[in-house]
Amino acid sequence: MDQVYSTTNEHKKGQHLSKDERILIEIRLKDGWTPNRIAKEIGCAPNTIRNEIKRGTVSSPKGKSHRYKANAGQAAYEQNRQASRRNYDRLEKDAFIQYVEQHFFEDKWSLDSCVGRALQDGSFSREQIVCVKTLYNYIGLGLLGIKNIDLPEKLKRSPKKAREREAKRVLGRSIEERDKEIEARKEFGHWECDLVIGSKSDEDDALLTMLERMSREFLVIRLPGKDAQSVMQALEEIRSQYSEHWNEIFKTITTDNGSEFAKLSDLEGISKTLVYFAHPYTSCEKGSIERHNGLLRRFIPKGKRIDSYSNEQLCQIEIWCNSLPRRILGYKTSDEVFEAELDKIYGFAA
């Protein structure tokens, strides 16, 4: 049979039928073609043709016959397209959106913390909230008071290129000797520590940061200097604070090979605490403390002098970090988990 009508463009897989293709379907049906044969000519699935025939079939005025019409199929398609847009229930969830914006700006919570905590403490039911992904979509569409520039992780600059470094001496017991069970973070009392500096001036203070791996409890201690002696003095003060329970609370400490930790192994001679050193230039082996140092940098940018911050300000930063609801903790805060573990050690557990 001669081709009395054909489409001008080849049909692409996944593409909707065009009006010209609907006209071709009408013509071929009048010629007695089957849906499979029509689909082969157009280049689409047979079910696509069958669905289109069903969609565009109309009855005669007296209802005695039924016939596919290209115009009817096109009209049905356009009507369906009007209803296929994405529906946003931003207005219906306004109370939850206000809850998110309040905790995001006032308490510096992440969007995930807002959603998880709202469900965990019963502030909202599942039907009253939107998921984390939808919140990020709303931000992209400008439907929230939160902007992309307000998201500290979203606009981070690219990491520096890898550089070859000369070998660095390992100060003590290697992290390779650490018990593999510590990696599971199921046992309390295993810590990571690091040093945070402000300006490069030797006259500026420094911060010793410590993190308990299971609860993610974060400690920020001001140091008068960046040397090993200052670090040991700070740890001696912490050790005197926990006195006879030190060995239960500080079972291990993992840190890097910075010169400021050169004397840290001395703790093994005066307590049961084991000290491990990560491989040189491998900060990922103590990733939790590095991540929390990143949170600290939101308040104390690199190059800013530490001595320009009061002890009260440092305390507020520490409180904020330990008051964040965390998904990995079932949206409990680090303080809640840490205090529960201390209660067990001190014999206060219910």
Side-chain angles (χ1 to χ4, degrees):
M1 182 179 293
D2 295 335
Q3 299 292 328
V4 298
Y5 189 90
S6 64
T7 56
T8 57
N9 297 318
E10 184 180 353
H11 184 85
K12 295 181 181 179
K13 184 177 180 180
Q15 191 177 51
H16 293 180
L17 293 172
S18 66
K19 187 172 182 180
D20 286 342
E21 288 167 335
R22 289 185 170 89
I23 294 174
L24 179 60
I25 292 172
E26 182 178 348
I27 293 173
R28 295 296 181 247
L29 288 174
K30 287 180 181 179
D31 292 338
W33 285 31
T34 65
N36 286 35
R37 188 178 176 186
I38 297 172
K40 188 175 182 180
E41 180 181 3
I42 293 177
C44 63
N47 272 342
T48 301
I49 302 301
R50 295 189 186 98
N51 292 335
E52 175 59 28
I53 293 172
K54 183 178 180 181
R55 186 184 302 114
T57 297
V58 296
S59 302
S60 64
K62 293 184 179 180
K64 294 183 178 180
S65 62
H66 305 279
R67 185 175 297 175
Y68 175 80
K69 294 292 184 181
N71 289 337
Q74 183 69 20
Y77 165 75
E78 292 175 356
Q79 184 176 0
N80 290 339
R81 289 295 294 166
Q82 290 292 325
S84 67
R85 63 180 177 83
R86 180 177 295 178
N87 293 316
Y88 298 104
D89 51 0
R90 163 68 176 82
L91 295 178
E92 290 78 359
K93 308 294 177 64
D94 188 63
F96 173 68
I97 297 301
Q98 291 183 20
Y99 171 91
V100 171
E101 291 179 346
Q102 177 184 353
H103 285 291
F104 181 87
F105 287 114
E106 295 183 7
D107 301 322
K108 309 297 182 184
W109 285 9
S110 67
L111 299 185
D112 181 74
S113 294
C114 294
V115 173
R117 190 68 172 195
L119 292 174
Q120 195 261 350
D121 62 16
S123 299
F124 294 88
S125 66
R126 178 67 66 178
E127 293 73 24
Q128 294 175 312
I129 71 168
V130 295
C131 68
V132 177
K133 184 177 180 180
T134 299
L135 285 176
Y136 279 107
N137 289 339
Y138 282 0
I139 292 174
L141 293 168
L143 299 179
L144 295 188
I146 305 169
K147 308 299 180 185
N148 280 322
I149 198 171
D150 298 323
L151 302 173
E153 296 297 321
K154 192 167 186 178
L155 301 179
K156 266 191 172 180
R157 58 186 178 181
S158 301
K160 297 178 180 178
K161 294 182 179 180
R163 295 179 297 172
E164 293 187 4
R165 300 175 184 266
E166 60 183 19
K168 190 172 184 179
R169 182 172 60 92
V170 178
L171 295 174
R173 191 191 307 266
S174 172
I175 193 173
E176 294 179 359
E177 302 177 45
R178 194 174 69 178
D179 193 334
K180 300 301 181 184
E181 293 183 1
I182 297 177
E183 294 294 327
R185 299 175 185 266
K186 293 182 178 179
E187 183 182 26
F188 179 77
H190 302 287
W191 294 75
E192 297 175 6
C193 74
D194 200 5
L195 195 74
V196 174
I197 63 174
S199 67
K200 295 183 179 180
S201 171
D202 292 335
E203 299 177 357
D204 190 19
D205 294 341
L207 297 176
L208 175 66
T209 57
M210 302 190 68
L211 179 128
E212 201 283 314
R213 287 172 53 85
M214 189 192 83
S215 65
R216 275 72 174 181
E217 182 75 3
F218 188 52
L219 304 181
V220 181
I221 304 108
R222 184 194 296 274
L223 302 180
K226 306 168 187 176
D227 56 288
Q229 187 62 36
S230 298
V231 171
M232 290 305 295
Q233 287 178 357
L235 287 171
E236 280 298 325
E237 292 178 8
I238 298 174
R239 199 165 75 90
S240 62
Q241 177 183 347
Y242 290 105
S243 58
E244 69 271 15
H245 294 289
W246 164 268
N247 291 329
E248 298 171 85
I249 300 172
F250 291 83
K251 297 174 183 176
T252 69
I253 298 176
T254 301
T255 187
D256 56 39
N257 289 275
S259 60
E260 63 274 10
F261 298 118
K263 295 184 177 182
L264 200 59
S265 294
D266 293 350
L267 285 173
E268 297 185 358
I270 57 177
S271 68
K272 295 182 180 180
T273 303
L274 297 178
V275 179
Y276 297 95
F277 291 89
H279 292 101
Y281 310 112
T282 314
S283 59
C284 60
E285 292 180 337
K286 52 183 187 68
S288 294
I289 191 68
E290 296 289 348
R291 173 73 183 101
H292 282 71
N293 287 345
L295 296 178
L296 182 65
R297 287 299 189 188
R298 296 185 187 182
F299 302 91
I300 306 177
K302 289 185 177 181
K304 184 76 172 180
R305 292 185 65 90
I306 300 295
D307 57 17
S308 65
Y309 293 86
S310 66
N311 289 335
E312 182 179 356
Q313 288 174 311
L314 297 179
C315 183
Q316 289 299 319
I317 296 172
E318 180 182 297
I319 291 173
W320 174 78
C321 290
N322 293 324
S323 300
L324 285 174
R326 300 170 186 264
R327 178 194 298 180
I328 202 167
L329 300 178
Y331 293 103
K332 295 180 180 179
T333 68
S334 298
D335 270 344
E336 291 170 345
V337 177
F338 187 74
E339 292 297 332
E341 293 297 326
L342 288 186
D343 286 345
K344 294 178 185 178
I345 292 174
Y346 284 94
F348 299 142

mmCIF file of all heavy atoms in Angstrom, residues 94-130:
data_model
loop_
_atom_site.group_PDB
_atom_site.id
_atom_site.type_symbol
_atom_site.label_atom_id
_atom_site.label_comp_id
_atom_site.label_asym_id
_atom_site.label_seq_id
_atom_site.Cartn_x
_atom_site.Cartn_y
_atom_site.Cartn_z
ATOM 1 N N ASP A 94 2.264 25.194 56.349
ATOM 2 C CA ASP A 94 2.886 26.454 56.755
ATOM 3 C C ASP A 94 3.385 26.421 58.197
ATOM 4 O O ASP A 94 4.436 26.983 58.509
ATOM 5 C CB ASP A 94 1.896 27.617 56.578
ATOM 6 C CG ASP A 94 2.547 28.968 56.810
ATOM 7 O OD1 ASP A 94 3.470 29.322 56.044
ATOM 8 O OD2 ASP A 94 2.163 29.665 57.769
ATOM 9 N N ALA A 95 2.632 25.746 59.096
ATOM 10 C CA ALA A 95 3.062 25.688 60.501
ATOM 11 C C ALA A 95 4.404 24.978 60.619
ATOM 12 O O ALA A 95 5.293 25.413 61.370
ATOM 13 C CB ALA A 95 2.001 24.975 61.344
ATOM 14 N N PHE A 96 4.575 23.901 59.867
ATOM 15 C CA PHE A 96 5.842 23.176 59.903
ATOM 16 C C PHE A 96 6.956 24.002 59.271
ATOM 17 O O PHE A 96 8.089 24.005 59.762
ATOM 18 C CB PHE A 96 5.706 21.840 59.181
ATOM 19 C CG PHE A 96 7.001 21.097 59.032
ATOM 20 C CD1 PHE A 96 7.646 20.560 60.140
ATOM 21 C CD2 PHE A 96 7.600 20.955 57.787
ATOM 22 C CE1 PHE A 96 8.849 19.883 60.007
ATOM 23 C CE2 PHE A 96 8.798 20.281 57.650
ATOM 24 C CZ PHE A 96 9.425 19.745 58.766
ATOM 25 N N ILE A 97 6.652 24.696 58.192
ATOM 26 C CA ILE A 97 7.660 25.534 57.532
ATOM 27 C C ILE A 97 8.155 26.611 58.502
ATOM 28 O O ILE A 97 9.363 26.897 58.572
ATOM 29 C CB ILE A 97 7.086 26.184 56.260
ATOM 30 C CG1 ILE A 97 6.693 25.102 55.241
ATOM 31 C CG2 ILE A 97 8.084 27.147 55.655
ATOM 32 C CD1 ILE A 97 7.813 24.215 54.802
ATOM 33 N N GLN A 98 7.257 27.209 59.266
ATOM 34 C CA GLN A 98 7.662 28.217 60.255
ATOM 35 C C GLN A 98 8.545 27.582 61.331
ATOM 36 O O GLN A 98 9.511 28.195 61.800
ATOM 37 C CB GLN A 98 6.425 28.851 60.887
ATOM 38 C CG GLN A 98 5.618 29.730 59.935
ATOM 39 C CD GLN A 98 4.441 30.386 60.613
ATOM 40 O OE1 GLN A 98 4.392 30.500 61.835
ATOM 41 N NE2 GLN A 98 3.476 30.830 59.819
ATOM 42 N N TYR A 99 8.206 26.352 61.733
ATOM 43 C CA TYR A 99 9.018 25.609 62.714
ATOM 44 C C TYR A 99 10.434 25.411 62.174
ATOM 45 O O TYR A 99 11.423 25.627 62.892
ATOM 46 C CB TYR A 99 8.334 24.272 62.981
ATOM 47 C CG TYR A 99 9.132 23.277 63.795
ATOM 48 C CD1 TYR A 99 9.024 23.232 65.184
ATOM 49 C CD2 TYR A 99 9.979 22.349 63.176
ATOM 50 C CE1 TYR A 99 9.737 22.297 65.932
ATOM 51 C CE2 TYR A 99 10.696 21.422 63.912
ATOM 52 C CZ TYR A 99 10.571 21.401 65.288
ATOM 53 O OH TYR A 99 11.283 20.474 66.025
ATOM 54 N N VAL A 100 10.552 25.021 60.901
ATOM 55 C CA VAL A 100 11.855 24.799 60.281
ATOM 56 C C VAL A 100 12.649 26.096 60.223
ATOM 57 O O VAL A 100 13.834 26.138 60.594
ATOM 58 C CB VAL A 100 11.684 24.207 58.865
ATOM 59 C CG1 VAL A 100 13.025 24.193 58.124
ATOM 60 C CG2 VAL A 100 11.114 22.802 58.937
ATOM 61 N N GLU A 101 12.021 27.167 59.752
ATOM 62 C CA GLU A 101 12.732 28.438 59.612
ATOM 63 C C GLU A 101 13.197 28.966 60.969
ATOM 64 O O GLU A 101 14.287 29.519 61.087
ATOM 65 C CB GLU A 101 11.829 29.452 58.916
ATOM 66 C CG GLU A 101 11.573 29.123 57.443
ATOM 67 C CD GLU A 101 10.648 30.121 56.781
ATOM 68 O OE1 GLU A 101 9.990 30.899 57.518
ATOM 69 O OE2 GLU A 101 10.571 30.131 55.535
ATOM 70 N N GLN A 102 12.370 28.773 61.992
ATOM 71 C CA GLN A 102 12.749 29.259 63.328
ATOM 72 C C GLN A 102 13.990 28.528 63.838
ATOM 73 O O GLN A 102 14.957 29.160 64.283
ATOM 74 C CB GLN A 102 11.590 29.053 64.307
ATOM 75 C CG GLN A 102 11.937 29.463 65.745
ATOM 76 C CD GLN A 102 10.815 29.164 66.729
ATOM 77 O OE1 GLN A 102 9.716 28.777 66.337
ATOM 78 N NE2 GLN A 102 11.088 29.329 67.999
ATOM 79 N N HIS A 103 13.979 27.194 63.777
ATOM 80 C CA HIS A 103 15.118 26.434 64.292
ATOM 81 C C HIS A 103 16.345 26.582 63.388
ATOM 82 O O HIS A 103 17.478 26.523 63.866
ATOM 83 C CB HIS A 103 14.749 24.959 64.428
ATOM 84 C CG HIS A 103 13.869 24.677 65.604
ATOM 85 N ND1 HIS A 103 14.315 24.774 66.901
ATOM 86 C CD2 HIS A 103 12.563 24.309 65.691
ATOM 87 C CE1 HIS A 103 13.334 24.479 67.739
ATOM 88 N NE2 HIS A 103 12.259 24.191 67.033
ATOM 89 N N PHE A 104 16.136 26.791 62.090
ATOM 90 C CA PHE A 104 17.264 26.966 61.179
ATOM 91 C C PHE A 104 18.003 28.262 61.484
ATOM 92 O O PHE A 104 19.234 28.288 61.576
ATOM 93 C CB PHE A 104 16.772 26.966 59.731
ATOM 94 C CG PHE A 104 17.875 27.122 58.722
ATOM 95 C CD1 PHE A 104 18.568 26.023 58.256
ATOM 96 C CD2 PHE A 104 18.227 28.376 58.237
ATOM 97 C CE1 PHE A 104 19.592 26.160 57.327
ATOM 98 C CE2 PHE A 104 19.247 28.527 57.311
ATOM 99 C CZ PHE A 104 19.933 27.422 56.859
ATOM 100 N N PHE A 105 17.263 29.352 61.658
ATOM 101 C CA PHE A 105 17.903 30.655 61.861
ATOM 102 C C PHE A 105 18.285 30.909 63.324
ATOM 103 O O PHE A 105 19.354 31.450 63.603
ATOM 104 C CB PHE A 105 16.978 31.772 61.372
ATOM 105 C CG PHE A 105 16.879 31.862 59.870
ATOM 106 C CD1 PHE A 105 15.687 31.594 59.218
ATOM 107 C CD2 PHE A 105 17.987 32.201 59.116
ATOM 108 C CE1 PHE A 105 15.603 31.667 57.831
ATOM 109 C CE2 PHE A 105 17.917 32.283 57.731
ATOM 110 C CZ PHE A 105 16.719 32.016 57.093
ATOM 111 N N GLU A 106 17.444 30.498 64.259
ATOM 112 C CA GLU A 106 17.711 30.798 65.667
ATOM 113 C C GLU A 106 18.646 29.777 66.306
ATOM 114 O O GLU A 106 19.531 30.139 67.077
ATOM 115 C CB GLU A 106 16.383 30.866 66.439
ATOM 116 C CG GLU A 106 15.475 32.017 66.005
ATOM 117 C CD GLU A 106 14.209 32.084 66.831
ATOM 118 O OE1 GLU A 106 14.104 31.321 67.819
ATOM 119 O OE2 GLU A 106 13.318 32.892 66.483
ATOM 120 N N ASP A 107 18.436 28.489 66.012
ATOM 121 C CA ASP A 107 19.233 27.437 66.641
ATOM 122 C C ASP A 107 20.298 26.856 65.718
ATOM 123 O O ASP A 107 21.060 25.981 66.127
ATOM 124 C CB ASP A 107 18.313 26.298 67.120
ATOM 125 C CG ASP A 107 17.285 26.792 68.120
ATOM 126 O OD1 ASP A 107 17.633 27.652 68.947
ATOM 127 O OD2 ASP A 107 16.126 26.317 68.074
ATOM 128 N N LYS A 108 20.311 27.323 64.450
ATOM 129 C CA LYS A 108 21.306 26.859 63.470
ATOM 130 C C LYS A 108 21.206 25.358 63.216
ATOM 131 O O LYS A 108 22.198 24.683 62.951
ATOM 132 C CB LYS A 108 22.738 27.205 63.925
ATOM 133 C CG LYS A 108 22.942 28.654 64.312
ATOM 134 C CD LYS A 108 22.723 29.583 63.148
ATOM 135 C CE LYS A 108 22.989 31.029 63.541
ATOM 136 N NZ LYS A 108 22.689 31.976 62.447
ATOM 137 N N TRP A 109 19.981 24.817 63.261
ATOM 138 C CA TRP A 109 19.786 23.403 62.966
ATOM 139 C C TRP A 109 19.852 23.182 61.461
ATOM 140 O O TRP A 109 19.520 24.060 60.668
ATOM 141 C CB TRP A 109 18.424 22.923 63.461
ATOM 142 C CG TRP A 109 18.328 22.748 64.935
ATOM 143 C CD1 TRP A 109 19.249 23.129 65.873
ATOM 144 C CD2 TRP A 109 17.234 22.177 65.654
ATOM 145 N NE1 TRP A 109 18.798 22.814 67.134
ATOM 146 C CE2 TRP A 109 17.559 22.232 67.029
ATOM 147 C CE3 TRP A 109 16.023 21.623 65.278
ATOM 148 C CZ2 TRP A 109 16.716 21.752 68.025
ATOM 149 C CZ3 TRP A 109 15.165 21.141 66.263
ATOM 150 C CH2 TRP A 109 15.509 21.203 67.626
ATOM 151 N N SER A 110 20.236 21.968 61.053
ATOM 152 C CA SER A 110 20.154 21.595 59.641
ATOM 153 C C SER A 110 18.704 21.251 59.316
ATOM 154 O O SER A 110 17.872 21.027 60.211
ATOM 155 C CB SER A 110 21.042 20.382 59.357
ATOM 156 O OG SER A 110 20.534 19.230 60.013
ATOM 157 N N LEU A 111 18.377 21.186 58.027
ATOM 158 C CA LEU A 111 17.011 20.834 57.624
ATOM 159 C C LEU A 111 16.671 19.415 58.070
ATOM 160 O O LEU A 111 15.545 19.136 58.487
ATOM 161 C CB LEU A 111 16.861 20.955 56.104
ATOM 162 C CG LEU A 111 17.100 22.349 55.513
ATOM 163 C CD1 LEU A 111 16.796 22.336 54.017
ATOM 164 C CD2 LEU A 111 16.250 23.403 56.205
ATOM 165 N N ASP A 112 17.645 18.516 57.991
ATOM 166 C CA ASP A 112 17.414 17.144 58.429
ATOM 167 C C ASP A 112 17.120 17.088 59.925
ATOM 168 O O ASP A 112 16.251 16.342 60.368
ATOM 169 C CB ASP A 112 18.634 16.288 58.096
ATOM 170 C CG ASP A 112 18.450 14.843 58.516
ATOM 171 O OD1 ASP A 112 17.698 14.124 57.840
ATOM 172 O OD2 ASP A 112 19.050 14.436 59.537
ATOM 173 N N SER A 113 17.832 17.889 60.715
ATOM 174 C CA SER A 113 17.590 17.926 62.162
ATOM 175 C C SER A 113 16.185 18.434 62.452
ATOM 176 O O SER A 113 15.509 17.931 63.359
ATOM 177 C CB SER A 113 18.624 18.824 62.844
ATOM 178 O OG SER A 113 19.917 18.272 62.750
ATOM 179 N N CYS A 114 15.729 19.420 61.703
ATOM 180 C CA CYS A 114 14.389 19.974 61.903
ATOM 181 C C CYS A 114 13.327 18.916 61.660
ATOM 182 O O CYS A 114 12.400 18.743 62.458
ATOM 183 C CB CYS A 114 14.161 21.164 60.972
ATOM 184 S SG CYS A 114 15.199 22.599 61.307
ATOM 185 N N VAL A 115 13.449 18.193 60.553
ATOM 186 C CA VAL A 115 12.460 17.174 60.212
ATOM 187 C C VAL A 115 12.493 16.027 61.220
ATOM 188 O O VAL A 115 11.462 15.607 61.754
ATOM 189 C CB VAL A 115 12.717 16.637 58.786
ATOM 190 C CG1 VAL A 115 11.794 15.455 58.489
ATOM 191 C CG2 VAL A 115 12.487 17.733 57.759
ATOM 192 N N GLY A 116 13.686 15.522 61.494
ATOM 193 C CA GLY A 116 13.808 14.380 62.398
ATOM 194 C C GLY A 116 13.358 14.684 63.811
ATOM 195 O O GLY A 116 12.653 13.889 64.436
ATOM 196 N N ARG A 117 13.735 15.864 64.327
ATOM 197 C CA ARG A 117 13.360 16.221 65.695
ATOM 198 C C ARG A 117 11.867 16.470 65.807
ATOM 199 O O ARG A 117 11.243 16.110 66.813
ATOM 200 C CB ARG A 117 14.133 17.470 66.117
ATOM 201 C CG ARG A 117 13.995 17.796 67.601
ATOM 202 C CD ARG A 117 14.687 16.746 68.480
ATOM 203 N NE ARG A 117 14.713 17.153 69.873
ATOM 204 C CZ ARG A 117 15.464 16.607 70.801
ATOM 205 N NH1 ARG A 117 16.267 15.612 70.479
ATOM 206 N NH2 ARG A 117 15.444 17.035 72.052
ATOM 207 N N ALA A 118 11.260 17.070 64.778
ATOM 208 C CA ALA A 118 9.817 17.325 64.800
ATOM 209 C C ALA A 118 9.034 16.023 64.919
ATOM 210 O O ALA A 118 8.013 15.954 65.633
ATOM 211 C CB ALA A 118 9.399 18.084 63.541
ATOM 212 N N LEU A 119 9.498 14.975 64.250
ATOM 213 C CA LEU A 119 8.832 13.673 64.337
ATOM 214 C C LEU A 119 9.174 12.956 65.635
ATOM 215 O O LEU A 119 8.326 12.315 66.253
ATOM 216 C CB LEU A 119 9.246 12.804 63.147
ATOM 217 C CG LEU A 119 8.755 13.257 61.766
ATOM 218 C CD1 LEU A 119 9.371 12.384 60.675
ATOM 219 C CD2 LEU A 119 7.237 13.191 61.688
ATOM 220 N N GLN A 120 10.443 13.095 66.063
ATOM 221 C CA GLN A 120 10.907 12.360 67.244
ATOM 222 C C GLN A 120 10.219 12.826 68.522
ATOM 223 O O GLN A 120 9.855 12.024 69.375
ATOM 224 C CB GLN A 120 12.428 12.502 67.365
ATOM 225 C CG GLN A 120 13.079 11.531 68.315
ATOM 226 C CD GLN A 120 13.350 12.153 69.682
ATOM 227 O OE1 GLN A 120 13.212 13.354 69.870
ATOM 228 N NE2 GLN A 120 13.722 11.324 70.631
ATOM 229 N N ASP A 121 10.013 14.139 68.665
ATOM 230 C CA ASP A 121 9.383 14.640 69.893
ATOM 231 C C ASP A 121 7.879 14.849 69.748
ATOM 232 O O ASP A 121 7.226 15.335 70.676
ATOM 233 C CB ASP A 121 10.055 15.942 70.366
ATOM 234 C CG ASP A 121 9.918 17.085 69.356
ATOM 235 O OD1 ASP A 121 9.071 16.993 68.449
ATOM 236 O OD2 ASP A 121 10.667 18.075 69.489
ATOM 237 N N GLY A 122 7.309 14.495 68.592
ATOM 238 C CA GLY A 122 5.862 14.565 68.412
ATOM 239 C C GLY A 122 5.314 15.945 68.134
ATOM 240 O O GLY A 122 4.098 16.148 68.227
ATOM 241 N N SER A 123 6.175 16.896 67.779
ATOM 242 C CA SER A 123 5.686 18.240 67.475
ATOM 243 C C SER A 123 4.761 18.234 66.260
ATOM 244 O O SER A 123 3.808 19.010 66.190
ATOM 245 C CB SER A 123 6.858 19.197 67.215
ATOM 246 O OG SER A 123 7.695 19.295 68.346
ATOM 247 N N PHE A 124 5.062 17.353 65.283
ATOM 248 C CA PHE A 124 4.252 17.232 64.074
ATOM 249 C C PHE A 124 4.123 15.762 63.715
ATOM 250 O O PHE A 124 5.008 14.957 64.012
ATOM 251 C CB PHE A 124 4.893 17.997 62.902
ATOM 252 C CG PHE A 124 4.946 19.490 63.081
ATOM 253 C CD1 PHE A 124 6.027 20.077 63.716
ATOM 254 C CD2 PHE A 124 3.922 20.303 62.623
ATOM 255 C CE1 PHE A 124 6.101 21.447 63.891
ATOM 256 C CE2 PHE A 124 3.976 21.671 62.794
ATOM 257 C CZ PHE A 124 5.051 22.253 63.430
ATOM 258 N N SER A 125 3.012 15.426 63.056
ATOM 259 C CA SER A 125 2.838 14.069 62.536
ATOM 260 C C SER A 125 3.432 13.993 61.140
ATOM 261 O O SER A 125 3.763 15.017 60.536
ATOM 262 C CB SER A 125 1.349 13.707 62.495
ATOM 263 O OG SER A 125 0.665 14.530 61.555
ATOM 264 N N ARG A 126 3.542 12.778 60.614
ATOM 265 C CA ARG A 126 4.105 12.587 59.282
ATOM 266 C C ARG A 126 3.301 13.344 58.225
ATOM 267 O O ARG A 126 3.845 13.858 57.257
ATOM 268 C CB ARG A 126 4.128 11.089 58.961
ATOM 269 C CG ARG A 126 4.656 10.738 57.580
ATOM 270 C CD ARG A 126 6.127 11.047 57.428
ATOM 271 N NE ARG A 126 6.964 10.228 58.282
ATOM 272 C CZ ARG A 126 8.277 10.289 58.294
ATOM 273 N NH1 ARG A 126 8.904 11.166 57.506
ATOM 274 N NH2 ARG A 126 8.990 9.527 59.102
ATOM 275 N N GLU A 127 1.969 13.428 58.418
ATOM 276 C CA GLU A 127 1.116 14.099 57.436
ATOM 277 C C GLU A 127 1.252 15.616 57.487
ATOM 278 O O GLU A 127 0.854 16.306 56.547
ATOM 279 C CB GLU A 127 -0.351 13.716 57.664
ATOM 280 C CG GLU A 127 -0.686 12.250 57.394
ATOM 281 C CD GLU A 127 -0.150 11.323 58.474
ATOM 282 O OE1 GLU A 127 0.069 11.806 59.614
ATOM 283 O OE2 GLU A 127 0.071 10.125 58.175
ATOM 284 N N GLN A 128 1.804 16.134 58.556
ATOM 285 C CA GLN A 128 1.895 17.593 58.723
ATOM 286 C C GLN A 128 3.222 18.165 58.252
ATOM 287 O O GLN A 128 3.412 19.380 58.298
ATOM 288 C CB GLN A 128 1.691 17.950 60.201
ATOM 289 C CG GLN A 128 0.292 17.654 60.721
ATOM 290 C CD GLN A 128 0.180 17.901 62.219
ATOM 291 O OE1 GLN A 128 1.017 17.454 63.005
ATOM 292 N NE2 GLN A 128 -0.844 18.623 62.617
ATOM 293 N N ILE A 129 4.135 17.315 57.794
ATOM 294 C CA ILE A 129 5.458 17.803 57.419
ATOM 295 C C ILE A 129 5.750 17.493 55.954
ATOM 296 O O ILE A 129 4.999 16.771 55.296
ATOM 297 C CB ILE A 129 6.558 17.177 58.300
ATOM 298 C CG1 ILE A 129 6.724 15.684 57.944
ATOM 299 C CG2 ILE A 129 6.272 17.354 59.768
ATOM 300 C CD1 ILE A 129 7.957 15.060 58.535
ATOM 301 N N VAL A 130 6.835 18.052 55.461
ATOM 302 C CA VAL A 130 7.387 17.645 54.169
ATOM 303 C C VAL A 130 8.773 17.072 54.432
ATOM 304 O O VAL A 130 9.401 17.379 55.448
ATOM 305 C CB VAL A 130 7.466 18.826 53.175
ATOM 306 C CG1 VAL A 130 6.082 19.331 52.825
ATOM 307 C CG2 VAL A 130 8.319 19.960 53.729
#
